Amino acid sequence: MKKIILKIFFGAAILGFSSCQDFLDTSSPSTFTPAIVYENALMANQAVLGIYDCLTADETYSQNLSWVFVCGSDIEIRSFTLNSIDASRAPAHFLADASNDKLSKTWTALYGCIERASVAIDGIENSDIYKDSSHPDHAAMRQYRAEAIALRALCYQDLTRNFGNVPFKLVPSQPDLSNAYLPKTDRMEIFEQLLTQLIESAGDLPWKQLTPERITQGFARGLAARLALCRAGWDYSTEGQWVAPRADAAEYYKIAKEQCEKVIKEGGYDLESSYYTYFYKQCQRQYSDIESLFEIGFQLGRSSEMGYSTGVRYRVSTTKYGYTTQGQVQTTPAYYYSFHPEDERRDVSVVYYCYDDLGFEDAVNGVSRDLLDGGTFGLNKWSVKWAPADFAAASLAFGGKYGTGINYPMMRYPEILLMYAEADYNLNGTVSAEAKDAVWKVRKRAIPTLTSGDFDAYLASKDFQQVIEDERMWEFAGEGLRKYDLIRWGKLPQALKTMHEVNAAIYRDPGSYHFEFPTRSDGKERAIPAPLYYLYDENVEDFADVNIDYALSAVPGPAYLEGKILPTSEESITRAISYINQCSSGCVSESGAYVQNGRPFQPMPQSVIDAYGEEHPINQDYGF
């Protein structure tokens, strides 16, 4: 499946050689100089593949940018030990200091990828093949350039949304270091320049590649729309103040709408038949070529912690599911119960149990009767339960953390639909038929029983912008969007504070929770059950029946067991509330106070400041 992975090492080697051309004074017939690499379309392709290689490292999307930095929203929590958030977990709670190596490693890796992209773009633009429109490989070279531009923009996106203003350049580093010590650039200006390049080059990309592990035109235009919405949104000043959208925000809503509209009308993308189908195929290491606009391509045993750090926690090793997993990305009861009861995204996205030794006389393993420690829920989209058998056998034989090879979706078609609706609404101030239809498509897939009348009533119940914000919350848990959405909406600290308050209230008094969708389709009134009754399936690997969102006054049958979905003792309730309140406590403190006005960024790594030195001083911003 992952043919791109097999080519990456060679591509990285070419890129490395081509960027070190001045190291030796003598030349060799085998030296990979730009004149050789970029005057040959095949080798230029390998050089571009070397850029993709950067995205598969732990410092980027195999770990840090797929789940560590993603946490810190109102629906995504990095697990931790109560009263002790260590350095590896600190970035997910806005508690990292400048010496934290996760910050420095990710910063270095992203700039390394940017350098590779800049070298490739420069080499291609200066090649005779690119300059000669009649050359048979001219179109291919334009495509490779466009891929490199999009990959570079992706890296700058993640630098700016995690660190704020950063040094910015669009050319390779010079041998005399004349452009090595650049000052920081306002991130809104960075968005503007990236948008120009993305839109200019997007047409050189195909709508579909052989695999979605390579940049498509749909992703390039979708990334432009995402950056345009960031440019149209809120900012956080270097002095530590939230700044409302600028006066020219409408220009960027227009760009976002135009780019999404082009993808919708010309891209040939669509939604998978069900939400479950999409993520099941991902866990099976299969492509969704209709819904995925771009995925980070991983390989079994080599990379990806999807299913290991994000997914159901397996506390015991089994021949069926392999070695134990961690399930370090968690969510909250409030998020689980916020879903419509027939929303299929709920049980795909969220898990309220782990897999454990149940302690029965026959030592059977299966679904735990109780929730994860601390009263938290987990994220479920990427689960080894859905992985092919080769993963279980290989991870069990390895006897430790083993790369699942599950791809990470960088953009799915639902994001295009929801960005279109958001841009159109903010641009025009009214709910157009097209914007309504875009939201309908996403919500109808999630809730197959949804009628047009129910949908209209739902839209009438709240502001359309809030509809979009909620729909994105339910659609994209764990996909690296929620925290950064809240930042561009200027709502991060408020959302975290609300998360603390609502979940604390649930733990204290489950009956007080306000359900947005209070009644199930079977007429039962929704409630957080106390107690909970459940019936195992024949394999003890799932629940055949469980009253997860409605109350029962008596045991439904002799085969049912009694459990709990929330902590019940005073000690465990207090512990659960403290756990939730300590989440993201570097932005909103445990007492509920905003830290530095709800600071959304990480500090610049101290290693960078030290490297700049006294001759080229660069300072921390945002009150760090």
Side-chain angles (χ1 to χ4, degrees):
M1 169 185 166
K2 306 288 197 297
K3 292 183 179 179
I4 186 173
I5 296 291
L6 302 179
K7 299 176 181 178
I8 275 178
F9 178 78
F10 179 54
I14 287 179
L15 220 350
F17 282 127
S18 66
S19 63
C20 299
Q21 59 181 341
D22 295 323
F23 184 72
L24 298 176
D25 292 330
T26 58
S27 62
S28 164
S30 63
T31 299
F32 289 110
T33 64
I36 294 174
V37 173
Y38 299 107
E39 295 301 342
N40 180 300
L42 176 61
M43 295 183 75
N45 179 47
Q46 300 298 329
V48 171
L49 288 176
I51 310 169
Y52 286 93
D53 180 48
C54 300
L55 308 183
T56 65
D58 283 351
E59 293 78 14
T60 53
Y61 295 97
S62 186
Q63 184 181 101
N64 288 1
L65 295 172
S66 62
W67 61 273
V68 175
F69 283 49
V70 164
C71 294
S73 78
D74 57 343
I75 66 171
E76 293 136 337
I77 298 167
R78 170 77 192 277
S79 65
F80 62 96
T81 301
L82 189 64
N83 301 317
S84 179
I85 299 178
D86 62 27
S88 69
R89 290 166 168 77
H93 297 278
F94 303 96
L95 291 170
D97 60 32
S99 65
N100 190 289
D101 69 347
K102 283 198 175 294
L103 304 185
S104 59
K105 287 179 179 179
T106 296
W107 176 288
T108 300
L110 287 173
Y111 273 109
C113 188
I114 288 167
E115 182 66 17
R116 288 189 180 198
S118 294
V119 168
I121 294 164
D122 183 70
I124 291 169
E125 290 179 342
N126 285 294
S127 71
D128 291 335
I129 301 175
Y130 179 80
K131 294 174 181 178
D132 182 2
S133 60
S134 65
H135 194 285
D137 289 328
H138 175 74
M141 294 292 274
R142 292 188 69 90
Q143 175 186 317
Y144 303 150
R145 171 183 174 270
E147 284 184 75
I149 286 172
L151 288 166
R152 183 170 64 185
L154 175 64
C155 292
Y156 272 122
Q157 169 205 258
D158 282 305
L159 281 165
T160 55
R161 67 185 187 177
N162 286 297
F163 297 99
N165 298 343
V166 296
F168 179 66
K169 63 186 174 76
L170 295 174
V171 295
S173 297
Q174 298 303 304
D176 62 0
L177 302 182
S178 58
N179 64 346
Y181 301 103
L182 298 178
K184 284 176 283 189
T185 297
D186 183 288
R187 69 192 194 105
M188 294 297 182
E189 182 181 332
I190 292 175
F191 295 152
E192 294 165 13
Q193 294 194 48
L194 295 178
L195 279 169
T196 299
Q197 286 212 331
L198 281 167
I199 295 170
E200 175 271 326
S201 62
D204 292 331
L205 290 160
W207 286 111
K208 299 286 181 69
Q209 296 261 31
L210 291 177
T211 85
E213 292 175 346
R214 291 195 72 158
I215 299 288
T216 62
Q217 183 172 163
F219 175 74
R221 294 194 184 281
L223 181 59
R226 190 189 285 172
L227 296 176
L229 289 178
C230 288
R231 175 59 179 79
W234 284 69
D235 199 4
Y236 185 80
S237 73
T238 56
E239 292 77 27
Q241 301 293 325
W242 286 91
V243 181
R246 302 182 185 187
D248 59 356
E251 296 178 24
Y252 294 93
Y253 282 123
K254 183 172 184 292
I255 291 172
K257 178 184 175 180
E258 289 173 346
Q259 295 305 304
C260 289
E261 190 170 42
K262 194 169 184 68
V263 176
I264 292 168
K265 291 183 176 179
E266 301 178 28
Y269 300 102
D270 204 348
L271 304 177
E272 281 284 355
S273 59
S274 73
Y275 198 71
Y276 165 81
T277 297
Y278 179 87
F279 287 100
Y280 179 80
K281 288 175 71 172
Q282 272 222 315
C283 293
Q284 286 278 307
R285 304 197 301 276
Q286 298 174 5
Y287 296 126
S288 173
D289 57 358
I290 62 170
E291 184 164 334
S292 282
L293 279 67
F294 178 47
E295 302 176 2
I296 302 296
F298 293 119
Q299 187 175 40
L300 179 65
R302 180 181 181 271
S303 51
S304 181
E305 292 190 19
M306 312 317 295
Y308 179 83
S309 291
T310 305
V312 180
R313 185 174 186 186
Y314 285 76
R315 285 176 164 160
V316 292
S317 298
T318 67
T319 55
K320 190 169 185 179
Y321 300 121
Y323 191 71
T324 61
T325 65
Q326 290 296 311
Q328 295 193 50
V329 182
Q330 301 172 339
T331 188
T332 73
Y335 180 56
Y336 181 81
Y337 286 109
S338 72
F339 284 89
H340 186 283
E342 277 79 49
D343 194 325
E344 294 182 352
R345 295 173 296 193
R346 183 190 71 179
D347 293 331
V348 173
S349 299
V350 186
V351 60
Y352 49 87
Y353 57 80
C354 64
Y355 191 88
D356 208 347
D357 178 354
L358 296 181
F360 295 159
E361 290 184 4
D362 56 358
V364 68
N365 298 318
V367 173
S368 172
R369 281 170 278 187
D370 293 335
L371 196 60
L372 297 175
D373 288 344
T376 54
F377 290 54
L379 288 187
N380 185 47
K381 285 180 176 177
W382 301 278
S383 175
V384 296
K385 181 178 182 178
W386 299 334
D390 61 349
F391 169 76
S395 69
L396 201 59
F398 185 71
K401 183 171 74 173
Y402 195 76
T404 63
I406 298 172
N407 282 3
Y408 185 65
M410 296 304 295
M411 185 171 289
R412 296 189 292 114
Y413 187 57
E415 188 179 356
I416 296 293
L417 294 171
L418 294 176
M419 287 194 296
Y420 173 84
E422 181 177 359
D424 182 75
Y425 177 67
N426 281 277
L427 190 60
N428 300 315
T430 58
V431 183
S432 68
E434 293 80 8
K436 179 180 174 181
D437 183 61
V439 176
W440 162 261
K441 288 176 181 175
V442 176
R443 191 160 180 80
K444 175 62 176 175
R445 179 179 72 166
I447 309 173
T449 58
L450 187 67
T451 66
S452 58
D454 289 339
F455 182 62
D456 287 341
Y458 170 63
L459 294 187
S461 70
K462 61 177 81 173
D463 179 76
F464 193 67
Q465 174 64 28
Q466 190 62 52
V467 168
I468 294 165
E469 292 178 16
D470 290 347
E471 211 61 48
R472 289 179 68 91
M473 174 183 68
W474 292 316
E475 182 73 23
F476 300 119
E479 295 181 54
L481 295 176
R482 180 62 176 177
K483 177 166 73 175
Y484 309 112
D485 280 346
L486 290 171
I487 292 171
R488 67 182 178 84
W489 294 327
K491 294 183 176 182
L492 178 66
Q494 297 95 315
L496 292 173
K497 187 177 179 68
T498 299
M499 178 194 77
H500 293 175
E501 294 170 348
V502 172
N503 284 285
I506 288 175
Y507 290 133
R508 285 292 179 199
D509 181 12
S512 69
Y513 179 71
H514 171 73
F515 284 88
E516 180 177 356
F517 310 102
T519 307
R520 291 160 44 101
S521 60
D522 57 10
K524 294 177 180 176
E525 185 177 345
R526 297 185 74 200
I528 301 174
L532 175 143
Y533 295 103
Y534 62 94
L535 179 68
Y536 281 128
D537 66 12
E538 60 182 9
N539 298 315
V540 200
E541 292 181 353
D542 208 337
F543 297 117
D545 187 29
V546 58
N547 66 309
I548 188 64
D549 66 350
Y550 61 97
L552 289 172
S553 58
V555 179
Y560 280 76
L561 299 173
E562 182 177 315
K564 60 184 180 180
I565 194 65
L566 295 176
T568 53
S569 71
E570 180 60 31
E571 180 182 1
S572 61
I573 290 171
T574 299
R575 182 184 186 279
I577 292 173
S578 294
Y579 189 90
I580 289 292
N581 287 349
Q582 288 178 24
C583 294
S584 303
S585 53
C587 182
V588 178
S589 72
E590 189 173 2
S591 67
Y594 294 163
V595 180
Q596 292 288 332
N597 292 316
R599 179 172 52 200
F601 299 132
Q602 308 287 350
M604 176 185 289
Q606 185 62 43
S607 58
V608 176
I609 296 173
D610 294 342
Y612 268 64
E614 295 181 1
E615 187 176 352
H616 311 279
I618 190 168
N619 300 314
Q620 294 282 11
D621 291 323
Y622 314 117
F624 286 112

